Amino acid sequence: MTTPVTIVGAGLGGLTLARVLHRHDVPVTVYDAEDSARSRTQGGQLDLHEHNGQRALEIAGLTAEFRAIIHAGGGAQRVLDQHGTVLAEVPDDGSLARPEAQRGDIRRILLESLPAGTVQWGKKVVAATPLGLGRHELSFADGSTVTTDILVGAEGTWSRVRALLSDEKPAYAGMSYVDTYLHDVDDRHPDAAKAVGDGAMYALTPGRGFLAHREANNTIHAYVALDRPVEWFDDIDFADAEATKARIAAEFEGWAPELTALITAADTAPVLRRVYQLPDRHRWARTPGVTLLGDAAHVTVPGGEGANIAMLDGADLGEAIAAHPGDVEAAFAAYEQVMFARGEAEAVAAHETIDLIFGDSAPHGLVTLLNGTGQDAS
């Protein structure tokens, strides 16, 4: 296949697609809004699952590289009540079924597997315009444009490419996360470090709680979850870090200090992550020359599968394009049939996971899951 593929978005899904296309000698260019690969941190740890995220890396030929970046011991899990009492705990058994690794490291091995120049940085798409016969023009914030015959939107929740296919726009899901980091935790934050343990920690009541991971370099990455209207967060000045910490911590009055320290003693300014979702059954009619993957296609509440299925979307799409040389419409149709069903099923499952973690029975549903089966809660 000689027609170049244009990908918008150098996240895990877009890069997986680019890598699989490269392995099949399909020319590809990725455009990304960030100034460089190092212009911002890439979030926390991910557990990549055998049947999707790891399968995608296998298709991409990067299994060995992935295993070299696994955070050994990071798969441990515990659930605490609001007073810091451990209610359930599952150690990391060393299994490779769902090992943890830093998102930034996964992105790095994908980037390193691509030829120099594959990713064009500093290219923020401001408009995507159909030109007819399956061709599209991308307009960038720097004033430049590019025309493409094969376009894939992989730029996440607020995809510009999505508008070529669907009128749907993500809606606020009713909850938000505020994330923070604590550094050098064993020496500087020993009580919080003890509460979190070696892996993931959940301290929950209905509609709110703390989710935290022990990450590499003696770091804790914490997510403070609150089921609040979007306007509630609009009233907080996140530019004032200390006032924000105090305002969020006030929602956890009476909780154990080693838990509230995940916000009050944070070494970084709190960052707001509003949760948005598309309809569970988000689909579109086959439109020549363009498709979507990952959150651009099926963003939903965080149920632990988002990055995994974005990567599998990318791998599946790359394989489909390679299997239909000269017939991208057949490739897109075959890919979308599988992706639509998978995205819907995972969206439904994600809502069930969120209800398990933050619903009316919290934390008891998660406690029962871990005590009864030892399965991963994410």
Side-chain angles (χ1 to χ4, degrees):
M1 180 170 170
T2 58
T3 304
V5 176
T6 299
I7 302 170
V8 180
L12 299 184
L15 292 176
T16 302
L17 170 58
R19 166 61 179 173
V20 173
L21 292 174
H22 174 62
R23 294 194 82 198
H24 287 286
D25 297 318
V26 177
V28 57
T29 301
V30 183
Y31 295 97
D32 195 89
E34 295 179 7
D35 292 332
S36 74
R38 300 176 183 83
S39 62
R40 67 176 179 88
T41 60
Q42 294 299 310
Q45 282 188 170
L46 298 174
D47 52 330
L48 288 195
H49 309 156
E50 281 182 316
H51 67 285
N52 46 31
Q54 290 186 61
R55 171 61 181 154
L57 288 177
E58 179 183 354
I59 294 170
L62 296 173
T63 296
E65 289 82 351
F66 170 65
R67 290 184 176 177
I69 62 171
I70 289 173
H71 176 200
Q77 296 184 96
R78 59 171 48 168
V79 181
L80 310 184
D81 67 13
Q82 64 200 84
H83 307 297
T85 302
V86 177
L87 304 177
E89 187 160 21
V90 176
D92 186 336
D93 61 3
S95 168
L96 291 178
R98 307 166 75 95
E100 301 271 350
Q102 290 292 126
R103 179 187 288 266
D105 286 339
I106 300 169
R107 191 189 196 213
R108 175 179 54 79
I109 65 173
L110 285 163
L111 284 168
E112 290 175 350
S113 74
L114 296 170
T118 300
V119 180
Q120 299 292 304
W121 301 104
K123 291 293 186 179
K124 180 180 180 181
V125 173
V126 294
T129 307
L131 300 177
L133 300 177
R135 307 188 78 220
H136 295 87
E137 181 182 79
L138 298 177
S139 301
F140 300 102
D142 63 6
S144 63
T145 62
V146 67
T147 300
T148 177
D149 293 290
I150 305 175
L151 176 60
V152 180
E155 74 272 48
T157 304
W158 303 109
S159 167
R160 293 279 188 174
V161 178
R162 185 193 298 125
L164 296 170
L165 298 164
S166 169
D167 292 331
E168 293 286 356
K169 294 178 173 58
Y172 182 60
M175 67 180 300
S176 293
Y177 290 167
V178 177
D179 73 318
T180 62
Y181 286 88
L182 280 69
H183 300 303
D184 194 18
V185 294
D186 288 329
D187 290 335
R188 298 184 56 246
H189 307 286
D191 292 338
K194 183 179 179 180
V196 172
D198 295 329
M201 183 278 293
Y202 306 81
L204 310 165
T205 58
R208 59 181 173 160
F210 293 93
L211 286 66
H213 282 89
R214 172 73 75 111
E215 296 184 355
N217 301 317
N218 204 20
T219 295
I220 289 175
H221 187 185
Y223 303 84
V224 186
L226 286 168
D227 186 355
R228 298 288 187 276
V230 68
E231 296 80 11
W232 190 88
F233 295 97
D234 289 340
D235 289 337
I236 299 174
D237 179 9
F238 277 81
D240 186 337
E242 295 308 313
T244 298
K245 291 178 185 180
R247 181 67 186 87
I248 300 298
E251 298 300 300
F252 297 90
E253 183 178 356
W255 286 51
E258 62 268 30
L259 296 176
T260 56
L262 295 171
I263 182 70
T264 59
D267 296 312
T268 58
V271 177
L272 177 63
R273 312 287 187 193
R274 291 186 174 99
V275 177
Y276 284 83
Q277 61 186 351
L278 286 166
D280 290 352
R281 187 181 171 80
H282 182 229
R283 305 188 177 201
W284 54 84
R286 174 88 295 280
T287 301
V290 59
T291 194
L292 306 171
L293 64 77
D295 282 353
H298 44 64
V299 67
T300 188
V301 295
E305 296 287 356
N308 282 279
I309 60 174
M311 293 172 69
L312 188 57
D313 283 353
D316 282 354
L317 180 53
E319 293 280 89
I321 292 172
H324 296 84
D327 192 352
V328 71
E329 288 310 301
F332 281 0
Y335 156 73
E336 287 176 353
Q337 182 178 15
V338 174
M339 182 271 291
F340 286 149
R342 176 168 58 226
E344 181 179 353
E346 294 293 358
V348 171
H351 286 290
E352 293 172 351
T353 297
I354 289 297
D355 185 61
L356 176 77
I357 296 175
F358 297 111
D360 292 342
S361 65
H364 304 295
L366 188 55
V367 169
T368 298
L369 177 65
L370 293 189
N371 283 340
T373 67
Q375 294 179 5
D376 194 322
S378 66

